[in-house]
């Protein structure tokens, strides 16, 4: 049985290789024809020195004197304003809420009200947090609400 499978695979491989060779020959013939057409359309070949001259890029226009003045003024203003931007005090990191263990609310309603109060107290200071810390804080609150819902 294995010899039959091997012969079958060999025959498939030979057929595939034959098709690939034919496709490569056709593709190379198409490329050769396209190259010949492009060469014929360009006319007689110019000397190499002439081709180099025609390939050079045109010179860029001279700089605008007004633009040079604007650039100089912009650089001067940046130099003047840079120390002011560096001297600004950095916002203080949000202090962690003190961990106070109040009496645990007995009912789920009391727990929800306590969580609501905690969120209301912390919302004004969320803007001072970075996006990661703010997202983490909100995710923690959402987890607490889900826990209450699942009870």
């Amino acid at each position: 049985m294995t010899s039959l499978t091997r012969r079958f695979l060999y025959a498939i491989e030979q057929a595939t290789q034959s098709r690939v060779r034919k496709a490569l020959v056709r593709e190379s013939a198409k490329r050769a024809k396209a190259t010949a057409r492009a060469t014929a359309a360009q006319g007689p070949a110019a000397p190499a020195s002439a081709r180099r001259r025609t390939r050079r890029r045109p010179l860029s226009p001279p700089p605008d004197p007004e633009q040079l003045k604007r650039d100089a003024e912009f650089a001067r203003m940046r130099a003047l304003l840079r120390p002011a931007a560096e001297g600004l005090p950095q916002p203080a990191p949000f202090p962690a809420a003190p961990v106070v263990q109040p009496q645990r609310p007995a009912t789920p309603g009391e727990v929800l009200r306590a969580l609501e109060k905690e969120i209301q107290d912390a919302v004004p200071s969320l803007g001072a947090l970075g996006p990661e810390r703010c997202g983490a804080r909100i995710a923690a609150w959402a987890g607490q609400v889900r826990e209450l819902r699942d009870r």
Side-chain angles (χ1 to χ4, degrees):
M1 184 72 174
T2 58
S3 64
L4 180 63
T5 307
R6 285 184 186 161
R7 280 191 265 156
F8 182 67
L9 290 175
Y10 180 76
I12 292 173
E13 184 179 338
Q14 292 302 316
T16 305
Q17 287 178 356
S18 173
R19 286 184 190 142
V20 168
R21 277 190 220 111
K22 289 178 184 177
L24 287 174
V25 168
R26 279 187 299 227
E27 184 65 30
S28 62
K30 285 181 184 178
R31 287 185 182 174
K33 286 180 185 178
T35 305
R37 283 187 207 133
T39 308
Q42 290 177 353
S49 60
R51 273 187 265 153
R52 278 191 212 116
R53 272 187 248 122
T54 58
R55 289 183 183 167
R56 288 187 184 159
R57 295 182 182 171
L59 296 175
S60 61
D64 179 29
E66 291 297 318
Q67 184 62 41
L68 291 175
K69 289 179 187 176
R70 286 190 295 269
D71 291 344
E73 181 65 15
F74 180 69
R76 187 181 72 80
M77 295 301 287
R78 283 185 71 186
L80 288 173
L81 295 176
R82 186 171 297 142
E86 291 173 356
L88 291 177
Q90 295 295 326
F94 180 73
V99 180
V100 178
Q101 295 293 334
Q103 292 182 351
R104 285 188 67 129
T107 66
E110 291 174 351
V111 173
L112 190 59
R113 280 192 281 294
L115 181 60
E116 180 184 13
K117 178 148 178 47
E118 177 187 344
I119 292 171
Q120 287 174 350
D121 292 342
V123 164
S125 59
L126 284 178
L129 297 176
E132 293 87 11
R133 288 188 67 193
C134 182
R137 177 81 40 108
I138 293 171
W141 290 329
Q144 291 174 359
V145 170
R146 280 192 211 104
E147 182 182 342
L148 284 172
R149 181 195 63 197
D150 293 343
R151 282 189 203 166

